[in-house]
Amino acid sequence: MTEQRRRAPVGSAALRDLIEELAESLRRSVALAGPSVRRICASRHFDDADPARVHSLLHGQASSEVTRHVLDHGVTRWSGPGFVESRDDLGLLPRYCVPLRQRGHFLGLLMVIAPDRSLAPEETEAIARATPAIAGQMYADHILADAEKSREQELLLSLLGPSPTARAESRHQLLDDGLLPDAPHAVVSLVQVACSRVSPGQAATALRGALEGLRRTRSAHGAFTVTANRAVLLQLADRPLTPEALREQSRHIMEALGTRLDASAAPVIGIGGHQTGLADARTSYEQALVAVRAAHRIPGLRGIGSWEELGELAVLLQLPDRALNESLLPKPLRALLESSGGHRLEATLRCFLDQAGSTSRTAEALRIHRTSLHYRLRQIQEITGLDLDNGADRITLHMGLRIRELLVSPGASGDDGRHQAQAATPGDDLVGRMLAADPQGRRGASVRPGRQLQPQRTRARRDQAGQSVTAGDHSRIEAA
């Protein structure tokens, strides 16, 4: 999906004209980037174009390594122009960078390629003369884009919100205004970052930068809304987006966030199931809430949960945090876990049940002799008091093991901050909170408990170690 992005020009025509005019006067390649160093527009090539610039023009953005290199110079905090050093391994020549601000807002960077890391006085003067007009045009474009995005985001929040009446009205307005098509397939993804060590402004900027390229791809039309540490992305397509494409897209988002934020941000993504167009987008959103909670709790998912891969875990994950504790474990399973050699017997039982009770496949998977397997199975039956040939007893143990995967282990979250990102629980409607937290007070929305959804019968990827990370209680969403 990364390669399928449209290379549509961005930035207003007036802004592109100003950049071209400056480049012509300097006879140097010039580019304009936003706050997250995402390219807005670039002049035509001159003889100084380097591989990093060519990559940016071909792919619509700089590589993550180049972006990180530029940000590591602290350019967003510069009070005046300066040079970004070259990196031969990245194919990057030195850049003369001018931070652009208007009315206290950091708008982005004006970058001029300077291969010998120097500019003549008349060149720096020409850049200084051009800067106010460029910054002014960027600010005007910013205000216009904000107005358009605000309306789009307001409609998107209502479309995914709890009120059926508001959803229907928003759907009609989105279609009438041509903001989104009513394509037959809709998928919602929810992205969250930890807020303990990342400022809300920094997180929101990073989320916007990571999702901006997904507004329109060859595969789908998209729209998104961002709060301080969460983003909701809706995509509509004529054909279903494949699980592989959605995972690749999620990995790209994770990579983009990793470029803009440090490891303490610990991003997680939940992907909802495919639903029928705008009318059912709310259902995919509710499923994404469950999937993002799975991404928090199951390390084996590596930060990306998908509703369509959760199986019976989707039902368990709709229990509130206070209910997901060891009291849910069946007593026979607790007895097994507390017994001598419990870890080995647990692994044996898990494999046996996953292999549908086939001793031959279980012995092969565990790489042990069948005699050893039968001995362990007898131990399990003696300790639990259950019969592994009985279907109901098997369900009791299997469900207990699945619940165990989701249990919060004290201290398991470590210091990476992931527990601070806080996944959603039933009734904790993030969209409803966004609506209720509207700073203009234009609308309020009561938060109603989410519907209990029936998962598709596919299996989640399981963490073999059976460990889990801590997901704490929810903090209130603040409107961005």
Side-chain angles (χ1 to χ4, degrees):
M1 186 169 292
T2 302
E3 292 76 18
Q4 293 177 334
R5 290 195 197 88
R6 294 188 184 276
R7 312 298 176 213
V10 294
S12 67
L15 194 57
R16 295 197 296 274
D17 287 345
L18 289 171
I19 295 300
E20 287 289 357
E21 183 180 339
L22 176 60
E24 287 290 341
S25 68
L26 297 173
R27 306 302 295 174
R28 293 178 182 268
S29 297
V30 178
L32 193 63
S36 60
V37 198
R38 183 178 181 85
R39 181 175 65 84
I40 295 175
C41 58
S43 70
R44 72 177 182 85
H45 276 327
F46 288 87
D47 293 339
D48 54 2
D50 58 14
R53 176 181 168 85
V54 173
H55 179 281
S56 175
L57 294 174
L58 289 177
H59 295 272
Q61 62 181 7
S63 69
S64 59
E65 294 84 1
V66 168
T67 300
R68 172 59 66 186
H69 176 66
V70 174
L71 290 173
D72 283 347
H73 280 74
V75 291
T76 60
R77 300 185 299 273
W78 286 2
S79 58
F83 284 94
V84 168
E85 301 299 335
S86 63
R87 279 279 299 273
D88 291 341
D89 59 322
L90 300 179
L92 182 75
L93 292 171
R95 259 76 168 164
Y96 180 75
C97 291
V98 183
L100 302 173
R101 290 183 172 82
Q102 191 84 354
R103 300 186 181 182
H105 294 280
F106 175 65
L107 303 173
L109 297 167
L110 176 67
M111 297 187 284
V112 180
I113 293 182
D116 54 358
R117 203 183 177 282
S118 66
L119 294 174
E122 58 270 22
E123 290 179 308
T124 56
E125 290 173 7
I127 294 171
R129 287 195 302 271
T131 296
I134 293 172
Q137 186 61 52
M138 282 187 76
Y139 187 70
D141 291 353
H142 176 73
I143 295 299
L144 179 61
D146 267 2
E148 294 174 347
K149 289 177 183 177
S150 293
R151 174 165 172 74
E152 177 186 272
Q153 291 180 8
E154 181 180 351
L155 292 174
L156 179 59
L157 290 176
S158 294
L159 179 74
L160 302 178
S163 167
T165 303
R167 291 202 299 269
E169 179 62 25
S170 297
R171 175 176 173 270
H172 289 308
Q173 291 188 39
L174 285 165
L175 294 174
D176 290 346
D177 294 353
L179 296 175
L180 285 174
D182 197 7
H185 301 281
V187 177
V188 173
S189 297
L190 177 62
V191 187
Q192 293 185 177
V193 298
C195 55
S196 58
R197 300 183 182 93
V198 179
S199 71
Q202 183 185 7
T205 298
L207 287 166
R208 290 190 186 96
L211 297 178
E212 189 64 45
L214 301 176
R215 285 184 175 276
R216 184 181 179 89
T217 69
R218 294 187 186 277
S219 302
H221 288 75
F224 68 88
T225 184
V226 175
T227 66
N229 69 322
R230 295 180 174 96
V232 179
L233 169 68
L234 167 64
Q235 294 182 97
L236 295 143
D238 293 328
R239 290 177 292 183
L241 300 173
T242 66
E244 295 76 18
L246 288 168
R247 281 202 164 272
E248 180 187 351
Q249 180 185 86
S250 295
R251 285 192 292 268
H252 172 76
I253 294 172
M254 298 279 269
E255 179 184 349
L257 291 173
T259 298
R260 295 169 171 85
L261 302 171
D262 62 33
S264 68
V268 291
I269 299 175
I271 306 169
H274 280 82
Q275 301 299 326
T276 307
L278 288 174
D280 291 330
R282 164 75 180 184
T283 300
S284 184
Y285 163 72
E286 290 178 318
Q287 294 169 345
L289 286 173
V290 178
V292 84
R293 197 169 181 223
H296 278 287
R297 286 180 166 267
I298 306 175
L301 297 181
R302 298 185 179 181
I304 301 173
S306 172
W307 167 266
E308 296 185 349
E309 296 177 358
L310 292 180
E312 67 275 17
L313 288 181
V315 175
L316 296 173
L317 283 162
Q318 293 179 72
L319 294 172
D321 276 342
R322 64 180 179 275
L324 276 175
N325 56 59
E326 291 196 359
S327 68
L328 291 181
L329 293 179
K331 286 185 179 180
L333 180 60
R334 274 185 274 169
L336 182 70
L337 297 174
E338 294 167 1
S339 68
S340 175
H343 179 73
R344 183 191 64 181
L345 294 177
E346 177 195 2
T348 300
L349 175 62
R350 186 185 297 276
C351 185
F352 176 74
L353 295 173
D354 284 347
Q355 298 296 334
S358 169
T359 54
S360 59
R361 291 199 302 268
T362 303
E364 182 180 354
L366 293 174
R367 297 182 180 180
I368 61 175
H369 195 275
R370 287 194 192 183
T371 302
S372 297
L373 174 61
H374 285 295
Y375 174 71
R376 292 186 191 180
L377 294 178
R378 284 197 300 273
Q379 281 186 297
I380 292 170
Q381 292 188 126
E382 290 172 2
I383 294 170
T384 62
L386 299 181
D387 182 1
L388 292 179
D389 290 329
N390 181 284
D393 287 353
R394 282 194 193 181
I395 289 176
T396 297
L397 291 171
H398 210 172
M399 186 60 70
L401 289 172
R402 296 292 267 166
I403 292 171
R404 180 167 160 75
E405 294 179 41
L406 303 177
L407 292 185
V408 174
S409 301
S413 61
D415 297 324
D416 66 358
R418 178 163 294 178
H419 60 293
Q420 297 292 336
Q422 301 169 3
T425 54
D428 188 16
D429 191 317
L430 303 185
V431 164
R433 289 187 178 216
M434 292 179 198
L435 290 168
D438 189 325
Q440 301 301 322
R442 291 168 296 182
R443 61 197 316 147
S446 60
V447 180
R448 302 190 308 178
R451 288 177 291 171
Q452 298 297 310
L453 306 174
Q454 295 301 316
Q456 299 187 21
R457 297 293 299 175
T458 53
R459 293 193 177 276
R461 292 183 175 86
R462 178 178 293 119
D463 172 36
Q464 297 299 323
Q467 301 299 312
S468 58
V469 294
T470 301
D473 294 333
H474 290 278
S475 59
R476 179 175 181 80
I477 278 192
E478 298 296 331

